[in-house]
């Protein structure tokens, strides 16, 4: 009996001790507690690097946990950032906050202690990875390799933006705004006078000579032949107002292809007067310059500003309009889309950023079809003009060996001055193909010098790196 009583006491004691251990386990949670964001190839755009942490309860226990944003985060202006409670504040993080928060994605640490709070030897702290996210989240059209190339090359712009679009589908393969910011440290970005939190690809700007391609399209549709010629003397008197060409001595006699390649302002003033503003405005509306472009709930490119017909009734106003000045405004994404339509034979693609959701590798994607808005014969002619501009015109600094590049430079006046110096917006929009893939690349710089000096070399670097990447 004595032996049996001792055995019962032993069992009862150990069961009580085990229960006490379980009752005194303390739990910590680490990680974002959010689903992931992927590029088009299901490569992670967030949580790509880890950081070493120590348990608060058991400081001797160290472990690794993903850091939501890298120190050199890809596409921060699109992904956005979260607050201290891991709620999305901007970008995709904000627009898909409810969905992303429904995916636990966290590491659980359990630390076992005795009744006195002492960590139990042999049991200590145990990690539980059962709620760590594997492959659930939001999938973007971004190609992380192209995005990395763009963010490196675009730093030279200082302030501006770069957009890389699939010319056929309209998918945004890369989008960067400069200066960039670090989502891990928002306070410095808020105080920065250069406003790095602004996504410059979504804002309206004066567009300058890249608009001349639209005027060419209106001319060709109106039946004006590419051989239409004008003798540029360097200036044009229009209702008492003198407009100057960027080449002060003039370009001499030029046809449509040469005028676009050399960016001859006086030629386009003459051409617009032959076309009439109604036809040019019609093409602009077909190309949806006056409509916003929605990439997600909060990532929306502003509607451009088109002058009304009454605004263009004066010869001077039409002259300004003919080479992209005056009241005309558009966003970089809008301009990229227009040139994509030229590149793909006249179909205006619907720009897309979000492919869809992926849950346990089950993809849910949909796509809006492109609209036919231009005649193929006109876009083919314009591609010839734009190719000539890179070979022999203002776009020569964008030429890439072993790659046929077409494109247009621009240097737009803003009417805004710093002291006596006017602020200029410079552009290069380039079109090229690698195998079956067609790319439209827009490079824009604020406070620029000229498109050929500021933007064409950045385009060239992007194109060369992309060629190398494809060859590999």
């Amino acid at each position: 009996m004595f032996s049996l009583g001792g055995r019962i006491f032993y069992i009862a004691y150990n069961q009580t001790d085990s229960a006490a251990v379980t009752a005194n386990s303390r739990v910590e949670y680490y990680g974002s507690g959010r689903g992931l964001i992927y590029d088009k190839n299901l490569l992670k755009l967030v949580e790509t690097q880890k950081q070493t942490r120590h348990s608060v309860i058991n400081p001797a226990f160290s472990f690794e946990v993903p850091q939501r944003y890298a120190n050199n985060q890809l596409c921060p202006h699109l992904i956005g950032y979260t607050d201290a409670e891991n709620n999305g504040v901007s970008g995709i993080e904000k627009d898909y906050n409810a969905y992303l928060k429904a995916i636990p994605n966290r590491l659980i640490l359990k630390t076992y202690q005795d009744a006195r709070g002492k960590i139990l030897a042999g049991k200590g702290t145990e990690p539980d990875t059962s709620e760590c996210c594997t492959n659930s989240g939001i999938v973007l059209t971004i190609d992380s390799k192209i995005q990395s190339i763009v963010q490196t090359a675009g730093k030279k712009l200082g302030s501006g933006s770069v957009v890389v679009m699939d010319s056929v589908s309209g998918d945004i393969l890369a989008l960067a705004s400069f200066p960039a910011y670090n989502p891990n440290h928002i306070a410095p970005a808020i105080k920065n006078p250069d406003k790095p939190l602004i996504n410059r690809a979504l804002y309206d700007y004066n567009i300058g000579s890249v608009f001349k391609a639209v005027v060419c399209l209106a001319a060709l549709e109106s039946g004006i032949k590419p051989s239409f010629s004008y003798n540029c003397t360097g200036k044009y008197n229009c209702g008492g107002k003198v407009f100057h060409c960027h080449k002060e001595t003039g370009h001499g006699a030029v046809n449509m292809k040469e005028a676009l390649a050399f960016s001859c302002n006086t030629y386009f003033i003459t051409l617009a007067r032959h076309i009439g503003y109604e036809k040019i405005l019609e093409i602009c509306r077909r190309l949806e310059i006056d409509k916003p472009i929605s990439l997600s709930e909060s990532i929306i490119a502003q509607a451009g500003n088109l002058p009304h017909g009454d605004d263009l009734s004066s010869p001077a106003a039409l002259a300004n309009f003919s080479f992209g000045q005056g009241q005309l405004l558009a966003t970089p994404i809008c301009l990229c889309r227009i040139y994509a339509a030229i590149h793909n034979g006249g179909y205006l693609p619907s720009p897309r950023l979000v492919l869809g959701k992926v849950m346990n590798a089950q993809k849910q994607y949909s796509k809006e079809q492109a609209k036919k808005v231009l005649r193929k014969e006109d876009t083919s002619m314009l591609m010839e003009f734009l190719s000539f501009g890179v070979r022999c015109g203002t776009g020569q600094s964008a030429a890439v060996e072993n790659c046929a590049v077409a494109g247009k430079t621009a240097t737009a006046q803003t009417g805004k001055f710093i002291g006596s110096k006017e602020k200029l917006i410079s552009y290069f929009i380039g079109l090229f193909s690698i195998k079956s893939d067609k790319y439209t690349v827009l490079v824009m710089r604020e406070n620029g010098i000229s498109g050929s000096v500021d933007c064409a070399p950045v385009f060239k670097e992007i194109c060369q790196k992309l060629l190398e990447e494809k060859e590999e």
Side-chain angles (χ1 to χ4, degrees):
M1 288 293 294
F2 179 80
S3 175
L4 179 62
R7 179 63 180 165
I8 293 172
F9 175 79
Y10 174 80
I11 293 172
Y13 176 84
N14 278 280
Q15 285 178 337
T16 303
D17 185 58
S18 177
V21 168
T22 302
N24 285 325
S25 66
R26 296 178 61 187
V27 179
E28 301 169 79
Y29 300 99
Y30 291 91
S32 65
R34 299 174 66 81
L36 300 179
I37 301 172
Y38 295 93
D39 81 346
K40 61 179 291 188
N41 300 308
L42 290 183
L43 297 175
K44 290 191 292 184
L45 290 169
V46 295
E47 305 196 10
T48 57
Q49 65 184 47
K50 294 184 177 182
Q51 55 183 335
T52 300
R53 302 285 297 275
H54 291 268
S55 165
V56 172
I57 299 169
N58 181 10
F61 183 81
S62 64
F63 58 96
E64 284 191 335
V65 66
Q67 182 174 301
R68 185 65 176 178
Y69 307 115
N71 295 326
N72 186 24
Q73 177 63 44
L74 290 179
C75 41
H77 292 90
L78 297 177
I79 289 172
Y81 56 93
T82 57
D83 60 18
E85 283 73 44
N86 284 327
N87 287 305
V89 174
S90 71
I92 296 299
E93 294 278 30
K94 175 185 177 183
D95 295 345
Y96 292 87
N97 186 58
Y99 172 75
L100 291 170
K101 286 211 76 172
I103 302 167
N105 191 22
R106 59 185 182 177
L107 175 68
I108 303 169
L109 292 186
K110 293 181 180 179
T111 300
Y112 297 92
Q113 299 172 309
D114 62 20
R116 296 182 297 277
K118 185 178 179 182
I119 295 170
L120 293 177
K123 199 156 181 76
T125 301
E126 295 179 350
D128 179 353
T129 60
S130 61
E131 293 188 5
C132 287
C133 179
T134 53
N135 62 357
S136 300
I138 298 296
V139 184
L140 305 185
T141 59
I142 295 295
D143 184 314
S144 57
K145 292 181 180 179
I146 301 176
Q147 181 70 31
S148 181
I149 291 169
V150 162
Q151 287 187 202
T152 300
K155 288 178 182 178
K156 300 178 181 66
L157 297 171
S159 180
S161 66
V162 178
V163 181
V164 180
M165 184 180 290
D166 182 308
S167 302
V168 177
S169 69
D171 285 354
I172 305 295
L173 302 176
L175 187 152
S177 181
F178 304 94
Y181 71 94
N182 186 343
N184 296 305
H185 305 288
I186 296 300
I190 294 173
K191 298 174 184 177
N192 191 329
D194 292 330
K195 300 180 179 178
L197 292 175
I198 290 177
N199 187 344
R200 287 164 165 81
L202 307 180
Y203 283 79
D204 283 335
Y205 290 91
N206 302 91
I207 64 178
S209 293
V210 290
F211 185 67
K212 290 171 181 172
V214 177
V215 179
C216 285
L217 290 167
L220 294 170
E221 277 200 17
S222 299
I224 298 173
K225 302 296 184 185
S227 58
F228 177 84
S229 181
Y230 172 76
N231 184 45
C232 171
T233 62
K235 59 185 178 181
Y236 190 104
N237 192 318
C238 193
K241 182 173 181 179
V242 177
F243 290 86
H244 295 274
C245 205
H246 69 89
K247 186 177 181 182
E248 294 180 3
T249 57
H251 292 99
V254 288
N255 59 27
M256 198 182 296
K257 178 171 77 170
E258 294 163 339
L260 186 64
F262 304 139
S263 208
C264 178
N265 287 346
T266 61
Y267 179 94
F268 280 90
I269 294 172
T270 306
L271 186 61
R273 295 187 71 173
H274 277 74
I275 303 166
Y277 65 78
E278 296 92 345
K279 183 63 178 179
I280 303 174
L281 285 175
E282 179 201 330
I283 298 287
C284 289
R285 294 190 185 100
R286 246 191 272 163
L287 293 168
E288 299 186 358
I289 291 177
D290 57 341
K291 292 184 179 180
I293 298 173
S294 178
L295 299 179
S296 98
E297 186 178 341
S298 68
I299 306 174
I300 302 172
Q302 295 177 331
N305 187 65
L306 279 179
H308 298 291
D310 292 344
D311 300 324
L312 299 174
S313 57
S314 77
L318 180 57
N320 259 327
F321 184 57
S322 72
F323 51 89
Q325 294 290 170
Q327 300 176 37
L328 181 65
L329 301 173
T331 65
I333 285 182
C334 174
L335 295 174
C336 197
R337 181 192 193 191
I338 290 170
Y339 273 71
I342 295 169
H343 196 200
N344 71 28
Y347 288 89
L348 186 69
S350 297
R352 179 172 64 165
L353 173 65
V354 181
L355 279 175
K357 299 174 182 177
V358 58
M359 180 69 79
N360 299 324
Q362 298 287 327
K363 300 178 185 178
Q364 304 171 21
Y365 302 161
S366 62
K367 177 67 178 119
E368 186 178 338
Q369 295 299 310
K371 294 175 287 187
K372 179 76 170 176
V373 298
L374 302 169
R375 300 187 309 190
K376 186 173 182 179
E377 58 267 32
D378 296 337
T379 59
S380 296
M381 184 69 69
L382 200 53
M383 283 296 294
E384 182 185 327
F385 296 174
L386 294 168
S387 297
F388 181 71
V390 173
R391 293 196 311 272
C392 306
T394 59
Q396 291 181 64
S397 52
V400 176
E401 189 176 350
N402 299 323
C403 185
V405 173
K408 183 71 187 80
T409 59
T411 308
Q413 295 174 282
T414 64
K416 300 173 183 177
F417 290 81
I418 301 176
S420 60
K421 186 178 179 182
E422 186 175 15
K423 295 176 68 175
L424 303 175
I425 308 296
S426 54
Y427 296 89
F428 182 80
I429 307 179
L431 312 170
F432 64 98
S433 299
I434 303 176
K435 297 182 180 178
S436 61
D437 296 324
K438 292 186 174 184
Y439 300 94
T440 302
V441 179
L442 177 142
V443 182
M444 182 276 288
R445 183 187 179 189
E446 293 180 349
N447 305 319
I449 300 170
S450 74
S452 58
V453 171
D454 303 318
C455 301
V458 172
F459 164 85
K460 180 175 182 176
E461 181 179 340
I462 292 169
C463 185
Q464 286 176 326
K465 295 289 186 184
L466 188 50
L467 274 169
E468 293 170 8
E469 183 66 40
K470 289 289 182 178
E471 285 173 2
E472 290 177 4

